[in-house]
C-alpha cells in the first residue's frame, strides 16, 4: 500500500530462526512461503533478539525506542504494528460446556482424533483447538464434517495430514516462544484494560478476577475482557479472567430497531 517499512524487530534470537529454517525441509510448501516472504522484505532491516520498548510522540507517533543485543536505539516512524502471537477464541465452546485444556498460558478446546469435543455432537476444528494455521484448520474441518455426516472414508489419510500440519505449528511455537523480556515490558503504569483505562498496577493485591473487576472495572468495557483477559493470562496475573457474553457486542439501537424477515 505504498508504506516504507523502516524496520522489523523480532523478539526471538537468531539461533531460533536458524533452527527453524533448518527444519523447514519437512514442509516444502512452508519453505517456499518463507523464501517468497523474505524476497519481499529485501532491503528492510531485520533485528533479532529485539523488542520495541517504547513509543514517543505528542498527538501522533514520531519515533519508537527498541532494545536489542547491542543496547537501545531510536528510529523515526509514523506507524507501529505490534504482535506477539494469537490465542484461540473459546467463547462458543465455553458457552456450550466443552472441555478445555491448558497449553502454556492459554487454553484450547479438547478434541479426540475425530474432532469431537466432550459435548456429544459438537465438533471443533482450527484455531479453537490450538493455533495451527490455515492448513490445519482446513484438514480438521474436513475431518469434523465427514464424521458429523457419518462419512468415515479417508479419515486415516486426513488424520496423517493433520498430524503433519500440527507438527509444523508446534515447531513454530517452540522456536518463537515469548522471552521473559517481552513479559517484562509490562510495567505498573501499562494499560491492560484499554476500555476502562485500568493500568496493570491497579490490579495488584486482588486474589481473583471477580474482585479485580468489581474494584477497577477491568474487563467491563466494550470488549468484555477479550483483550485484557488474554494479556493478563499471558502475564500469569491472578486477576486474569475469561471474556463474558455476548459473543459479539451489539449496539442497543440495533437490537431495538424492527427488522423485516
Amino acid at each position: 500500500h505504498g508504506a516504507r517499512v523502516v524496520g522489523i524487530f523480532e523478539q526471538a534470537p537468531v539461533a531460533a530462526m536458524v533452527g527453524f529454517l533448518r527444519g523447514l525441509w519437512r514442509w516444502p510448501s512452508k519453505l517456499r512461503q518463507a523464501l517468497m516472504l523474505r524476497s519481499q522484505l529485501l532491503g528492510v532491516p531485520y533485528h533479532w533478539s529485539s523488542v520495541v520498548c517504547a513509543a514517543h510522540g505528542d498527538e501522533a507517533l514520531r519515533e519508537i525506542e527498541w532494545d536489542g543485543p547491542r543496547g537501545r536505539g531510536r528510529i523515526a516512524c509514523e506507524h507501529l504494528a505490534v504482535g506477539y502471537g494469537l490465542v484461540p477464541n473459546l467463547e462458543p465452546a465455553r458457552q456450550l460446556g466443552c472441555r478445555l485444556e491448558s497449553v502454556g498460558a492459554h487454553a484450547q478446546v479438547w478434541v479426540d482424533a475425530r474432532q469431537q469435543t466432550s459435548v456429544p455432537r459438537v465438533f471443533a476444528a482450527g484455531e479453537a483447538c490450538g493455533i495451527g494455521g490455515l492448513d490445519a484448520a482446513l484438514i480438521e474441518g474436513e475431518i469434523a464434517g465427514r464424521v458429523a455426516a457419518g462419512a468415515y472414508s479417508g479419515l486415516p489419510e486426513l488424520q496423517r495430514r493433520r498430524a503433519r500440519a500440527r507438527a509444523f505449528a508446534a515447531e513454530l511455537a517452540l522456536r518463537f516462544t515469548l522471552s521473559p523480556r517481552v513479559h517484562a515490558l509490562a510495567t505498573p503504569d501499562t494499560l491492560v484494560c484499554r476500555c476502562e483505562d485500568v493500568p496493570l498496577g491497579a490490579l495488584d493485591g486482588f486474589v481473583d478476577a471477580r474482585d479485580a473487576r468489581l474494584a477497577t472495572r477491568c474487563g467491563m468495557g466494550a470488549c468484555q475482557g477479550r483483550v485484557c483477559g488474554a494479556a493478563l493470562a499471558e502475564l500469569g496475573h491472578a486477576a486474569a479472567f475469561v471474556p463474558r457474553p455476548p459473543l459479539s457486542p451489539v449496539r442497543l439501537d440495533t437490537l431495538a430497531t424492527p427488522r423485516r424477515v
Side-chain angles (χ1 to χ4, degrees):
H1 295 286
R4 182 172 65 90
V5 182
V6 296
I8 297 176
F9 301 87
E10 169 58 56
Q11 59 90 30
V14 66
M17 185 59 176
V18 171
F20 178 69
L21 290 175
R22 284 178 176 172
L24 272 184
W25 61 269
R26 292 177 289 173
W27 302 279
S29 64
K30 299 297 183 183
L31 178 58
R32 289 193 294 269
Q33 290 179 20
L35 294 175
M36 183 181 302
L37 179 61
R38 193 67 191 98
S39 67
Q40 295 172 349
L41 296 174
L42 287 177
V44 177
Y46 212 108
H47 306 271
W48 295 100
S49 300
S50 302
V51 294
V52 175
C53 52
H56 302 282
D58 37 38
E59 296 181 353
L61 179 63
R62 300 301 179 199
E63 65 178 8
I64 61 101
E65 185 176 352
W66 58 282
D67 184 25
R70 299 181 181 178
R72 294 200 172 196
R74 292 195 177 202
I75 186 170
C77 65
E78 298 174 333
H79 296 279
L80 169 65
V82 181
Y84 288 117
L86 304 172
V87 293
N89 183 342
L90 304 177
E91 296 167 56
R94 280 195 174 101
Q95 292 198 18
L96 291 170
C98 298
R99 170 187 163 192
L100 305 180
E101 58 182 354
S102 295
V103 178
H106 305 281
Q108 63 189 39
V109 180
W110 175 90
V111 292
D112 63 15
R114 295 184 174 186
Q115 304 300 135
Q116 168 73 59
T117 69
S118 61
V119 178
R121 301 179 65 183
V122 175
F123 298 84
E127 311 293 52
C129 306
I131 304 302
L134 177 62
D135 294 344
L138 290 173
I139 297 168
E140 290 174 353
E142 185 171 353
I143 293 174
R146 284 174 178 263
V147 175
Y152 301 103
S153 62
L155 279 186
E157 173 59 18
L158 286 171
Q159 290 167 339
R160 185 190 65 80
R161 289 169 52 198
R162 176 185 57 190
R164 185 177 180 84
R166 282 292 175 182
F168 172 78
E171 179 72 5
L172 193 68
L174 174 65
R175 298 294 183 178
F176 293 90
T177 299
L178 294 187
S179 72
R181 296 174 61 200
V182 173
H183 297 97
L185 292 174
T187 61
D189 60 348
T190 298
L191 286 181
V192 289
C193 179
R194 292 177 286 181
C195 297
E196 298 291 335
D197 293 329
V198 181
L200 181 62
L203 300 175
D204 291 341
F206 294 102
V207 296
D208 58 40
R210 181 180 181 276
D211 289 345
R213 182 184 292 115
L214 291 175
T216 67
R217 288 191 55 81
C218 184
M220 297 180 69
C223 84
Q224 288 293 286
R226 289 168 176 80
V227 177
C228 49
L232 291 169
E234 180 63 40
L235 292 172
H237 201 285
F241 48 85
V242 299
R244 303 167 66 189
L247 294 179
S248 180
V250 179
R251 295 176 62 90
L252 290 178
D253 60 358
T254 301
L255 297 175
T257 302
R259 300 288 180 180
R260 290 185 179 182
V261 179

